[in-house]
Amino acid sequence: MYIYTNQCVHAALIIRYCYQPGVTIPIEMSSLITGAEQATDALEEEEAAENYDDVTNIENIDSADEDGDTVERQKVEEEEENYHEEEKDEDQPIKETTIDEDVSGDTSHDLVTQSMMGDETLEGSTIEQKKRQVGPNNVERQKMFIICSIILFVVCINCFFNSLQCGFVFDDNKAVISNLDLRPSTPIWDLFKNDFWGTPLTSDRSHKSYRPLTVLTFRWNYFLGELEPGGYHFFNMIFHWILCVLILHVFKMFLSDWLAFILSMLFAVHPIHTDAVSGIVGRAESLSSIFALSALCTYSMAGGYRKRTDWHYIWITITLAVMATLCKEQGITIVAVCCAYEIFWSQKISLWEGLDLLKSAVTSPQHIPLWFVASVFRMLALLSSAVLLVVLRIIIMSAQLPHFVRYDNPIAFATAPTKQLSLSYLFPLNFWLLVYPYKLICDYSGSTIPLVTKVTDPRNLATLNFIGGLGALTYLALTGRNRLSRQIAMALAFLVFPFLPASNIFFPVGFVIAERILYSPSIGFSMLVVIGLQQILKYKKFNHLMYLLLGTTLFLHGARTARRNEDWISKESLFRAGLQVTTDNAKLWLNLGHFYENTGQKQEALACYNASFKSEYAIENGALTEIGRLHFSMGDDVMSEYYLSQAQKYMAPRGNGRYSPKYVQTFYHMAMIRAKNESQWPEAENMLKKAIRLNNEYEDAYKALSDLYLSMNEFHKATGILRRYLAIDPRNCKILSALGRLYAIGKNTNEALYYFEQCLSYSPSNENAQYNVALILEKGTGNEETEKLINRYKKLIDSSESNKAAYLIKLGEVYRKSGDYENALICYTKTLELLPDDKQALSALGVTHKARNDTLSARVYLQRVVELYPGDDKAWQRLGELYVDGLEALQDGLKCFQNCLRVNPENLQCEHNICVIMVRAKQYNDAVTCMERLSKKNPSESTLAVLEKLRTYVAKQEAKKAEIDSQVTLEIED
């Protein structure tokens, strides 16, 4: 019976949509037509009764007062009737013929040709007609759309306003601060040759993430406010709001206006989006989603239910899909979403109907309806463009996948069955983050998610339950023949397709879970929630409860989002928030340690590195290397070498012949230890060469080897190794500045200025290059070129907020060294206004006042330094020298030098100054004893020469005294 009914339906579709006046219908089909028309009418009536139940109307009926119940019901019935009439207009068939029908008549032939060519004379443009039908209902809907958009704006502002206080954290530093593609001096074309981080795609260091349009928006931000983070966060928030409004507009195709608004609200406040909105690099997600939804909206206007193709909209759809992909790679999945829309929503084809159509296409191609051909051609156009885009993408990235290490994504390096079980477990885990987004981490690498190694692991139950639930929804979406099944199909398309590129199924990615990857799939998840709400609201007695739960969910999600934004304010808060969720993530410990180390808190940094060493992937993550490097910076070479040697021992090369970056770094740090001892310079040179051989783009190794050659007085080798690196990365400002410094040391001013200017052309705010240029030309501030450079440096200071104090100190040094003490004092005083207790500014003021012979003012500032920083031996030394040389207060100076030695017994200059005080006090014997003690610590030629002169002087004085004593004795005897 089912087969017969299905055949009748198929025949009815053929006759209904392909019959044309004047074309004779075969007699043998007449009985089939009658049954088919009856079956079709029955199915359409059943679908109309089931599917066009507006949830808003149910809500209105349920909430109506008893007195106005009749009026309200009449309004609902009128709105429902209008809705059904609109659906019927949309579904009005086009009279076409099948491919094999008799086309000998002129009219029939013209109609077939027009249908295949997309001629507008076949039927009026339905879209344009609807645009012109601006009745009262449409006006009201437009007003409600504007009101809902304003509400969404207020919600987005309230949820993400505190993200404007966030700085550059996590990946933002590499994507924005150190990305030279943002600089105006970089040609726009370079954005299309480099990856998302500004690295050439052909480089071995490239992550192969190709998002030039997103980088272009960063460049726009840089043009407006350079490196002011608030501007970047503001536009991220605006893009999120734009996407919410677009969701409100697009999903009216699938849901009622009220449910589309609920969906957009759920999306707007979801806490999983903090990674994509509060993190600046997450802009790629919102931009890609904006273009993707715009592509779907445009594609919906390219055809329709049993309609011809408007190829103008197809080309616009392809263009928008390309732009979505150029914002982020997953944008290409909108092609699959459009195909799902075409099959399930536009043509309303279920799985069985699709199989029948395919069977007919194979067995009886002459009976294929033209609407089916047009639909297939629309999808083929999209799929062909997607394939072409993938091919171009592979060519651009030189057919190479990025290289990752095991601790970034342990699952990708696991073996069967661990890999398959762990990978399967990630699907329910990602879905759970959408359901319960309250334990969020910025990084899920290493042992944050333990591998599923056994079939008996209870986590496999979660995997099975997820697969079962997803399978049930998929079956309902594919086989159902009502509006609900088509809604589920579209929700699954939005949920699944954007997630697939980052799922590790087709190729390994550099992470286990990334919250920002769930930004686009959360649209499909939110739609599933709204569909469930739609079904529950059919039962009136649950309406109040469901709306209470909905309001509570929106409030809690919004509050959690605002709270999560605070974690992204700084690196420390972000990493500490992650460690509150898990302490097994070595990467979080290392990143927190780097923050402490960069802020001078080395003991805290060491504690973090030691904590990271306890994790499962500590050695691969470079914990030993970091501990050894930190001990080196703290002056403990013995412990440093021990940890570095252990790192070299345990960090074996990768199976593919590549070496871990942390393993390569061990050779660099070991070379730094060897470089301290002149006798070990050849060994240090070999280690640095090996580090470069293992990683020919290791910037620090090139710089260290250049410095080593300079120490060996091999100037040409020192410059040559830096030039070699510039051949790899000609825009590297650090190398350009280092090369300029070398030429400045070699008295080659023109070459030095050339490289400094090259650096400044790529990074105008590079303070080291600015300072070095000013130092080269500091012979006199009357020099026109020097004045020009200093004025540019002043502009840098005026435009800077975070580094203004450091820049003022450097400018003051330029003035002081050139003898312009007045301007130097102005710079140092401005620094103190910003940082009242800044040690460097206070010391510089004291030294400058001393140079101006204003010893009293100098004493005020230097005394302030030792009061604030009593553990600084250099501060005691400067104050002591002022007392001895400027104020002639030998006893006060002696006390200062003694305090200096108490803080740092190895300060030989203070010990030498004590000897000088003894000489000035004419305590020669004590002075000789002092110099003898000093010569044992520092047996240099100058120290020994001073000691010899002092001994000779003491000997002469004693001889002279003895001669005088003998004369006095003779006189007395006489």
Side-chain angles (χ1 to χ4, degrees):
M1 181 64 184
Y2 172 79
I3 296 174
Y4 174 76
T5 304
N6 196 37
Q7 290 175 346
C8 290
V9 171
H10 184 62
L13 292 175
I14 293 174
I15 301 303
R16 181 176 178 181
Y17 297 107
C18 299
Y19 175 73
Q20 301 294 338
V23 179
T24 304
I25 304 300
I27 298 175
E28 57 268 24
M29 295 184 64
S30 60
S31 61
L32 183 63
I33 293 169
T34 304
E37 289 177 341
Q38 295 174 356
T40 303
D41 293 338
L43 285 173
E44 290 181 347
E45 290 175 3
E46 180 183 356
E47 184 176 6
E50 290 180 1
N51 304 332
Y52 299 117
D53 185 15
D54 193 307
V55 176
T56 308
N57 299 337
I58 294 174
E59 179 202 0
N60 292 335
I61 293 173
D62 187 59
S63 61
D65 293 330
E66 186 175 351
D67 295 337
D69 185 74
T70 305
V71 178
E72 193 68 19
R73 288 181 181 275
Q74 289 177 354
K75 291 181 179 179
V76 170
E77 290 173 359
E78 289 175 2
E79 290 178 7
E80 188 171 5
E81 184 178 354
N82 292 335
Y83 183 81
H84 284 297
E85 289 177 359
E86 182 180 350
E87 287 286 317
K88 289 177 182 178
D89 290 340
E90 255 185 40
D91 296 344
Q92 188 66 31
I94 300 173
K95 297 179 180 180
E96 299 175 349
T97 64
T98 54
I99 296 176
D100 66 329
E101 284 183 287
D102 185 12
V103 292
S104 58
D106 294 339
T107 304
S108 177
H109 176 72
D110 290 343
L111 287 171
V112 173
T113 305
Q114 291 169 359
S115 176
M116 296 297 292
M117 298 299 292
D119 197 314
E120 293 183 359
T121 59
L122 181 61
E123 64 169 17
S125 176
T126 305
I127 297 170
E128 293 300 324
Q129 288 176 1
K130 287 187 177 182
K131 286 182 179 179
R132 288 193 293 267
Q133 294 173 359
V134 185
N137 289 339
N138 284 339
V139 172
E140 288 298 321
R141 291 184 70 187
Q142 290 176 3
K143 289 181 179 179
M144 287 305 300
F145 178 79
I146 294 173
I147 293 173
C148 290
S149 299
I150 294 173
I151 294 174
L152 285 170
F153 179 78
V154 173
V155 168
C156 290
I157 291 295
N158 278 277
C159 287
F160 290 100
F161 183 77
N162 56 348
S163 69
L164 299 179
Q165 304 173 14
C166 299
F168 296 108
V169 297
F170 210 34
D171 294 334
D172 297 342
N173 291 295
K174 189 175 180 182
V176 177
I177 296 178
S178 60
N179 191 348
L180 296 180
D181 286 345
L182 274 62
R183 309 301 191 264
S185 57
T186 303
I188 292 291
W189 177 244
D190 284 1
L191 273 63
F192 296 88
K193 297 189 295 183
N194 300 332
D195 66 11
F196 184 55
W197 316 99
T199 306
L201 285 165
T202 56
S203 171
D204 191 53
R205 296 179 291 117
S206 174
H207 284 203
K208 311 300 180 184
S209 48
Y210 189 64
R211 305 163 194 172
L213 293 188
T214 303
V215 179
L216 190 62
T217 65
F218 290 158
R219 185 167 175 140
W220 178 38
N221 267 120
Y222 187 88
F223 174 77
L224 295 176
E226 294 192 353
L227 296 178
E228 171 56 43
Y232 294 84
H233 289 291
F234 173 77
F235 281 104
N236 271 25
M237 183 172 61
I238 294 300
F239 288 136
H240 179 65
W241 169 67
I242 291 173
L243 179 60
C244 293
V245 174
L246 195 56
I247 290 172
L248 174 65
H249 172 68
V250 171
F251 280 79
K252 289 181 180 180
M253 293 190 296
F254 314 120
L255 304 164
S256 66
D257 292 0
W258 172 239
L259 290 179
F261 175 65
I262 293 176
L263 190 157
S264 59
M265 285 287 289
L266 286 171
F267 180 83
V269 302
H270 204 293
I272 203 72
H273 299 156
T274 51
D275 194 344
V277 181
S278 298
I280 294 173
V281 297
R283 183 181 299 181
E285 311 291 339
S286 56
L287 287 176
S288 178
S289 300
I290 288 172
F291 285 116
L293 281 187
S294 300
L296 177 62
C297 185
T298 306
Y299 184 76
S300 68
M301 296 184 282
Y305 185 64
R306 310 308 197 247
K307 292 180 181 178
R308 57 168 175 74
T309 302
D310 189 336
W311 288 99
H312 172 70
Y313 288 110
I314 292 293
W315 303 131
I316 296 177
T317 301
I318 293 173
T319 301
L320 290 171
V322 171
M323 295 178 72
T325 308
L326 293 179
C327 290
K328 191 170 184 183
E329 296 80 356
Q330 70 184 35
I332 198 173
T333 59
I334 193 59
V335 171
V337 175
C338 287
C339 291
Y341 168 84
E342 177 70 33
I343 296 170
F344 298 107
W345 193 262
S346 181
Q347 304 308 327
K348 302 178 175 61
I349 300 175
S350 68
L351 175 63
W352 312 123
E353 293 169 345
L355 292 176
D356 287 340
L357 285 170
L358 291 176
K359 182 179 178 181
S360 299
V362 174
T363 58
S364 304
Q366 67 275 15
H367 291 123
I368 302 175
L370 288 183
W371 66 262
F372 179 71
V373 175
S375 178
V376 170
F377 271 102
R378 285 195 294 268
M379 291 188 287
L380 284 177
L382 292 184
L383 292 172
S384 300
S385 65
V387 171
L388 179 61
L389 192 58
V390 170
V391 172
L392 291 175
R393 178 75 168 80
I394 293 173
I395 294 173
I396 289 173
M397 61 189 294
S398 303
Q400 295 178 349
L401 287 174
H403 304 291
F404 304 110
V405 292
R406 193 167 75 102
Y407 68 81
D408 280 335
N409 188 356
I411 296 176
F413 293 84
T415 56
T418 299
K419 182 175 183 178
Q420 288 70 28
L421 292 175
S422 302
L423 186 60
S424 301
Y425 176 64
L426 290 184
F427 294 101
L429 192 57
N430 277 281
F431 190 79
W432 177 247
L433 286 175
L434 292 172
V435 175
Y436 186 75
Y438 285 83
K439 290 187 177 180
L440 303 178
I441 316 175
C442 63
D443 181 88
Y444 290 81
S445 63
S447 53
T448 304
I449 302 173
L451 297 176
V452 183
T453 58
K454 299 179 181 179
V455 178
T456 56
D457 193 313
R459 289 177 292 175
N460 290 321
L461 294 176
T463 303
L464 292 176
N465 289 331
F466 175 78
I467 293 174
L470 184 65
L473 287 174
T474 304
Y475 179 80
L476 179 61
L478 294 178
T479 60
R481 306 180 68 179
N482 54 27
R483 185 179 179 85
L484 175 61
S485 64
R486 296 197 295 272
Q487 288 175 334
I488 294 174
M490 292 310 303
L492 291 178
F494 279 105
L495 176 66
V496 175
F497 289 138
F499 180 74
L500 288 178
S503 64
N504 284 283
I505 294 178
F506 303 109
F507 46 81
V509 294
F511 51 83
V512 180
I513 290 178
E515 292 169 7
R516 59 177 173 264
I517 296 300
L518 298 176
Y519 188 76
S520 293
S522 67
I523 300 176
F525 170 78
S526 300
M527 186 174 179
L528 283 177
V529 173
V530 169
I531 293 172
L533 179 66
Q534 168 187 272
Q535 297 306 112
I536 296 175
L537 288 177
K538 289 182 178 180
Y539 304 94
K540 302 176 185 178
K541 60 182 178 180
F542 296 118
N543 282 13
H544 294 295
L545 176 61
M546 293 310 301
Y547 281 120
L548 178 62
L549 291 176
L550 175 64
T552 303
T553 300
L554 290 173
F555 175 78
L556 292 177
H557 274 22
R560 173 56 180 155
T561 297
R563 173 61 187 87
R564 177 61 174 163
N565 291 334
E566 296 178 0
D567 294 339
W568 286 82
I569 287 179
S570 67
K571 297 176 184 178
E572 181 182 15
S573 60
L574 181 62
F575 301 140
R576 282 197 171 278
L579 291 171
Q580 289 176 1
V581 178
T582 176
T583 57
D584 295 329
N585 190 313
K587 200 170 186 179
L588 290 177
W589 283 114
L590 288 176
N591 284 330
L592 184 59
H594 291 154
F595 169 79
Y596 284 136
E597 186 178 358
N598 293 334
T599 55
Q601 305 175 66
K602 294 189 177 181
Q603 291 301 327
E604 290 81 357
L606 184 59
C608 291
Y609 294 154
N610 287 326
S612 72
F613 185 65
K614 299 176 183 178
S615 68
E616 181 180 354
Y617 299 95
I619 294 178
E620 294 180 49
N621 204 20
L624 287 171
T625 306
E626 297 299 331
I627 294 173
R629 181 186 56 76
L630 183 59
H631 277 295
F632 172 76
S633 66
M634 296 169 68
D636 191 347
D637 293 348
V638 176
M639 292 300 294
S640 176
E641 189 165 357
Y642 168 76
Y643 281 106
L644 292 173
S645 61
Q646 291 296 307
Q648 288 182 349
K649 178 180 178 181
Y650 291 109
M651 294 178 70
R654 304 182 202 171
N656 57 5
R658 296 182 53 79
Y659 295 88
S660 167
K662 298 294 183 181
Y663 174 75
V664 179
Q665 289 174 17
T666 60
F667 292 97
Y668 165 76
H669 295 301
M670 291 282 278
M672 293 296 94
I673 297 174
R674 300 288 188 275
K676 288 185 175 182
N677 192 335
E678 185 175 350
S679 63
Q680 295 182 321
W681 282 355
E683 188 177 353
E685 179 185 4
N686 292 332
M687 287 184 173
L688 290 172
K689 286 182 176 179
K690 183 172 183 178
I692 293 173
R693 187 167 62 253
L694 296 177
N695 180 6
N696 69 333
E697 298 181 6
Y698 192 1
E699 172 189 320
D700 290 337
Y702 282 90
K703 290 177 63 178
L705 186 56
S706 175
D707 291 338
L708 184 62
Y709 283 141
L710 185 63
S711 301
M712 298 169 131
N713 293 323
E714 297 185 21
F715 183 80
H716 293 293
K717 284 188 176 181
T719 57
I721 194 68
L722 294 181
R723 288 177 179 273
R724 177 180 163 187
Y725 186 86
L726 287 179
I728 300 172
D729 185 6
R731 303 187 305 165
N732 191 298
C733 196
K734 292 182 180 179
I735 298 297
L736 288 167
S737 182
L739 194 55
R741 183 178 61 86
L742 280 180
Y743 281 112
I745 294 172
K747 308 299 183 183
N748 192 338
T749 303
N750 291 332
E751 285 292 321
L753 286 174
Y754 170 78
Y755 285 106
F756 285 134
E757 289 292 341
Q758 283 288 105
C759 172
L760 292 172
S761 67
Y762 295 122
S763 180
S765 60
N766 187 286
E767 66 271 16
N768 287 325
Q770 292 272 18
Y771 180 54
N772 283 315
V773 168
L775 287 179
I776 290 174
L777 301 173
E778 69 178 4
K779 293 180 179 179
T781 55
N783 184 291
E784 181 179 349
E785 192 171 4
T786 305
E787 288 293 341
K788 178 181 177 181
L789 292 167
I790 288 178
N791 288 333
R792 185 167 64 178
Y793 197 80
K794 287 180 178 179
K795 291 180 181 179
L796 171 68
I797 294 173
D798 293 336
S799 62
S800 174
E801 291 294 336
S802 58
N803 295 322
K804 180 174 288 189
Y807 295 163
L808 284 168
I809 287 288
K810 290 182 180 292
L811 183 59
E813 289 295 300
V814 172
Y815 283 127
R816 185 176 65 83
K817 290 182 179 181
S818 63
D820 189 351
Y821 298 129
E822 296 302 324
N823 279 321
L825 290 174
I826 291 173
C827 292
Y828 298 143
T829 303
K830 287 182 178 179
T831 304
L832 283 185
E833 292 175 359
L834 297 172
L835 302 172
D837 295 332
D838 185 73
K839 179 172 65 175
Q840 191 175 1
L842 288 169
S843 300
L845 278 167
V847 172
T848 306
H849 279 299
K850 179 184 175 183
R852 294 174 68 245
N853 296 320
D854 187 355
T855 53
L856 295 178
S857 297
R859 183 177 65 175
V860 171
Y861 289 109
L862 295 179
Q863 186 69 39
R864 178 66 175 161
V865 175
V866 297
E867 290 173 358
L868 292 172
Y869 307 96
D872 186 352
D873 60 310
K874 296 293 184 183
W876 286 109
Q877 178 183 329
R878 283 189 289 267
L879 182 58
E881 290 172 350
L882 175 66
Y883 277 126
V884 172
D885 297 332
L887 298 173
E888 305 250 348
L890 299 183
Q891 290 303 316
D892 290 333
L894 180 61
K895 291 178 182 179
C896 290
F897 295 137
Q898 288 172 346
N899 287 332
C900 173
L901 289 176
R902 187 178 65 255
V903 173
N904 181 15
E906 301 300 322
N907 191 316
L908 301 180
Q909 185 61 48
C910 281
E911 193 162 353
H912 179 271
N913 291 340
I914 291 175
C915 299
V916 172
I917 290 176
M918 292 177 179
V919 172
R920 292 191 180 184
K922 298 183 179 180
Q923 301 171 1
Y924 299 115
N925 291 327
D926 292 339
V928 170
T929 303
C930 178
M931 288 301 298
E932 287 175 347
R933 186 170 58 250
L934 179 62
S935 63
K936 292 179 181 179
K937 296 181 180 179
N938 181 29
S940 62
E941 294 181 2
S942 58
T943 302
L944 293 174
V946 171
L947 176 60
E948 187 61 31
K949 289 181 180 180
L950 190 57
R951 283 173 175 171
T952 302
Y953 179 79
V954 170
K956 288 182 178 179
Q957 291 296 322
E958 288 179 352
K960 186 176 181 181
K961 181 179 179 182
E963 182 180 353
I964 293 174
D965 289 344
S966 63
Q967 290 178 359
V968 170
T969 303
L970 289 175
E971 290 178 358
I972 292 174
E973 290 178 353
D974 291 340

